[in-house]
Amino acid sequence: MRLVVLLLATILALPAVASTPPVLPPLNELMAGGLDDAEEFIDDFVKEHPDHAQAHFMRGAIMGMQASDSIFSALGYAKKSLSSFQRAVELEPTSVEYRQGLISFYMAAPGIAGGDMELAWQHIEAMREFDSKAALQMELAYWQVEEDDAKFQATLQRGLEEFAEHPDFHFRAGLIAQEQKSFDQAYAHFDTCLTTEIESEAATSIELNCLYQIGRTALFSEQRVADGIRALEDYQQRDLTDNVPGKEWAQARLAALYLLADRKSEAQQLVQVIDAGEDENLAEELKSLRQRVNR
């Protein structure tokens, strides 16, 4: 039984959590040796430090990933994941990260494994008491899972009105406008992302994503091509965070924009250095680009 992608996406997108002594390594370092080693380490750690909230949170994430990868033991791993998230919230009930982890589990897991949309909503309501913005973000995810577009749109509009100075809701609105081919609106939202002055790891990721999406919007709309090129050239120079498109995809988008701008030689040079690796979709994109630059 697999947990839906929403669980992993939410957990791995979370900013770093301030831990209590003893200090745990970051989750990505803990998993560097594989999930089985990470599971063994975190199980031993939790036994030695049963009141360590961050350890329970990380155990929830690791067990959730084990559940996604497992066939025969998925249910057992899912139950361990749930109990770990629940314990983290019990220990630190005002932690946004821990509450997000638990809510995401309830929304992602099937009922037999502990999924429960009613409990997810109860925790969203509880989160409003200490972080209304984070609660609104989780409410967006909730209505998306429920496939209630009217409530999703209404919640997004509330976010744009109540937190206009934050990039989060503008980025989400920009993506929707881009998908609907309302490119002027998409640009307006992505541009706003770049003018906010919120400083955090999450805000940095959103800024990078907005730069990438400005380039993507320029490519789809064939409008503001010069702006799209500048955005992706800027993107190439940044230190990328975990939750943004890789530089290879940005290079492919940039090469396509160079072609739109009649800068064929630059497109040719760029296409030569892009490595698609094992990404089949990027390989197809590169094949098309190479055909175009060689005409």
Side-chain angles (χ1 to χ4, degrees):
M1 183 186 313
R2 298 178 62 241
L3 292 181
V4 224
V5 174
L6 173 64
L7 171 62
L8 299 184
T10 302
I11 298 304
L12 296 178
L14 297 177
V17 183
S19 61
T20 56
V23 176
L24 277 165
L27 184 59
N28 59 343
E29 291 183 15
L30 194 57
M31 295 191 302
L35 279 175
D36 289 342
D37 286 347
E39 177 188 347
E40 182 178 357
F41 174 88
I42 204 66
D43 270 345
D44 290 341
F45 191 96
V46 166
K47 288 177 184 176
E48 293 178 13
H49 309 283
D51 294 329
H52 197 296
Q54 187 192 13
H56 285 284
F57 173 76
M58 292 174 70
R59 184 175 185 267
I62 290 166
M63 296 304 175
M65 285 182 274
Q66 286 281 41
S68 295
D69 285 352
S70 177
I71 297 175
F72 301 108
S73 303
L75 185 58
Y77 277 124
K79 290 181 177 180
K80 290 178 183 178
S81 178
L82 174 56
S83 64
S84 295
F85 286 134
Q86 288 172 330
R87 181 60 178 153
V89 170
E90 288 172 4
L91 289 167
E92 293 189 21
T94 59
S95 167
V96 169
E97 292 82 7
Y98 303 164
R99 192 78 68 159
Q100 285 175 325
L102 181 56
I103 294 168
S104 297
F105 181 95
Y106 282 137
M107 293 194 299
I112 193 174
D116 191 316
M117 293 301 286
E118 184 176 343
L119 287 176
W121 185 257
Q122 289 176 16
H123 282 279
I124 290 172
E125 294 285 17
M127 188 184 287
R128 296 190 206 281
E129 299 298 319
F130 56 89
D131 195 319
S132 57
K133 175 174 166 285
L136 206 55
Q137 289 175 311
M138 294 309 295
E139 187 177 343
L140 276 176
Y142 182 92
W143 295 126
Q144 194 167 26
V145 172
E146 290 284 66
E147 299 182 352
D148 192 324
D149 188 61
K151 289 183 178 178
F152 177 90
Q153 293 292 345
T155 303
L156 179 59
Q157 187 58 39
R158 279 168 49 211
L160 291 169
E161 292 170 358
E162 295 176 20
F163 300 99
E165 75 281 9
H166 287 262
D168 316 50
F169 298 100
H170 287 284
F171 175 63
R172 182 70 71 95
L175 288 177
I176 292 172
Q178 183 191 82
E179 185 177 348
Q180 295 173 343
K181 301 187 186 306
S182 300
F183 296 121
D184 289 342
Q185 290 183 30
Y187 272 126
H189 287 297
F190 294 140
D191 288 342
T192 300
C193 284
L194 302 182
T195 61
T196 57
E197 298 181 359
I198 306 298
E199 294 185 4
S200 71
E201 184 179 340
T204 299
S205 292
I206 292 172
E207 179 187 1
L208 288 168
N209 273 310
C210 284
L211 280 173
Y212 180 82
Q213 293 301 332
I214 286 173
R216 204 161 169 259
T217 304
L219 183 59
F220 295 160
S221 66
E222 299 187 6
Q223 300 168 10
R224 289 180 52 177
V225 172
D227 288 340
I229 289 173
R230 279 192 293 271
L232 290 179
E233 288 178 338
D234 185 2
Y235 189 87
Q236 297 293 308
Q237 303 304 314
R238 302 289 191 97
D239 293 327
L240 301 187
T241 59
D242 290 338
N243 305 299
V244 301
K247 285 191 176 181
E248 294 79 11
W249 266 108
Q251 289 171 330
R253 302 299 189 194
L254 182 56
L257 286 174
Y258 281 150
L259 288 173
L260 280 177
D262 294 323
R263 295 165 62 174
K264 188 173 182 179
S265 62
E266 290 167 280
Q268 288 175 324
Q269 292 173 13
L270 194 52
V271 167
Q272 290 174 0
V273 301
I274 301 173
D275 181 10
E278 298 181 0
D279 189 332
E280 294 181 2
N281 291 328
L282 181 55
E284 283 295 315
E285 187 75 15
L286 281 176
K287 181 180 178 181
S288 174
L289 281 169
R290 289 188 181 112
Q291 290 172 347
R292 292 167 62 191
V293 299
N294 292 322
R295 286 174 187 165

